[in-house]
Amino acid sequence: QSAGVAVGILMIFLTVPMFWALFNQVNSTWVLQGKNMTPFYVLDGETMQSAGSVLVMIWVPILTLGVYPWLERRGILPTPLRRMSAGMVLGAVSFVICGYIQSRMDRGEALSVVWQLIPYIVLEAGEVMLSATALEFAFSQSPERMKSIVMSFWLMTMSVGHFLVAVFTNLNSNYVHAHGAVEFYFYAALMVVVAAAFIFLATRYRGRVSQAAC
């Protein structure tokens, strides 16, 4: 029975590496976009990445102390799997916003790098909803004697995600050939597919407690 529960958790984690692979585009396509934008004081394409860690610290208390309790008071239970699903959807939304910004730049409009704060805010909200919640989900759902194993599999999703960055990049370079705004929309579409797959698996998960259900 313990093994069956662990397998169920691993099935939930199955699509997460693809989320991390797309999330890590902040280190490549997002930086390249920022380099083509007008710097704002110390902010440019490179330093904008530091906004991510700051936004994580901002989003954690906002979501934990504000958004989640607010949803509960309105009868919407923010279960772990629902939060993780929403996080993936927000990841897709952030790429759509980047695509919109890039489309304006493609037409010749000069934009400040401050515009990138908008997709960063959305993406980091998605990261917190997925990553922090997944740790809670993995620890609470895994059997006592398998907690460390399940947690190690969660960490493995990140390492596999780093490997898949090259896979997605090569997919675009060799087959899709998306450039400019279309490239961001391409990654947004991939994120939507990943989110849909995750939601499909989440709705079929039968956890140790009912609140884990999506």
Side-chain angles (χ1 to χ4, degrees):
Q1 184 178 4
S2 296
V5 172
V7 170
I9 296 172
L10 294 179
M11 289 299 294
I12 292 297
F13 288 169
L14 189 63
T15 60
V16 175
M18 291 178 278
F19 171 86
W20 290 123
L22 295 167
F23 175 88
N24 285 325
Q25 291 296 323
V26 297
N27 301 319
S28 54
T29 54
W30 288 43
V31 171
L32 292 175
Q33 183 186 64
K35 285 184 176 180
N36 293 319
M37 304 176 82
T38 305
F40 181 78
Y41 291 99
V42 297
L43 289 179
D44 56 24
E46 292 282 351
T47 57
M48 181 60 76
Q49 294 180 85
S50 62
S53 57
V54 175
L55 288 168
V56 166
M57 293 187 290
I58 293 174
W59 271 119
V60 169
I62 289 176
L63 291 170
T64 304
L65 303 177
V67 176
Y68 297 154
W70 181 82
L71 290 172
E72 288 182 359
R73 289 194 297 270
R74 279 150 184 79
I76 303 173
L77 190 62
T79 62
L81 293 180
R82 286 176 178 169
R83 283 182 261 163
M84 293 168 70
S85 300
M88 288 196 172
V89 171
L90 287 177
V93 172
S94 70
F95 277 94
V96 171
I97 297 172
C98 276
Y100 168 73
I101 292 172
Q102 187 63 46
S103 68
R104 294 177 60 179
M105 295 170 61
D106 291 343
R107 292 194 298 267
E109 187 174 353
L111 295 179
S112 169
V113 73
V114 174
W115 277 93
Q116 270 200 333
L117 280 175
I118 300 173
Y120 265 105
I121 289 170
V122 176
L123 181 66
E124 294 305 334
E127 182 194 6
V128 171
M129 296 180 79
L130 177 75
S131 183
T133 304
L135 291 172
E136 170 194 340
F137 172 80
F139 189 81
S140 64
Q141 293 294 297
S142 57
E144 284 295 329
R145 62 180 182 177
M146 301 188 72
K147 287 187 184 296
S148 60
I149 296 175
V150 172
M151 295 296 285
S152 67
F153 274 110
W154 165 250
L155 296 175
M156 189 180 294
T157 65
M158 298 182 186
S159 61
V160 174
H162 287 296
F163 169 77
L164 289 176
V165 171
V167 175
F168 286 140
T169 301
N170 289 334
L171 176 64
N172 180 41
S173 300
N174 299 327
Y175 299 100
V176 181
H177 305 296
H179 301 285
V182 177
E183 182 176 11
F184 287 102
Y185 293 140
F186 166 68
Y187 290 128
L190 286 178
M191 190 72 88
V192 169
V193 172
V194 170
F198 179 87
I199 293 171
F200 175 81
L201 294 171
T203 55
R204 282 152 180 77
Y205 176 77
R206 298 296 177 264
R208 300 177 68 189
V209 293
S210 60
Q211 283 193 343
C214 182

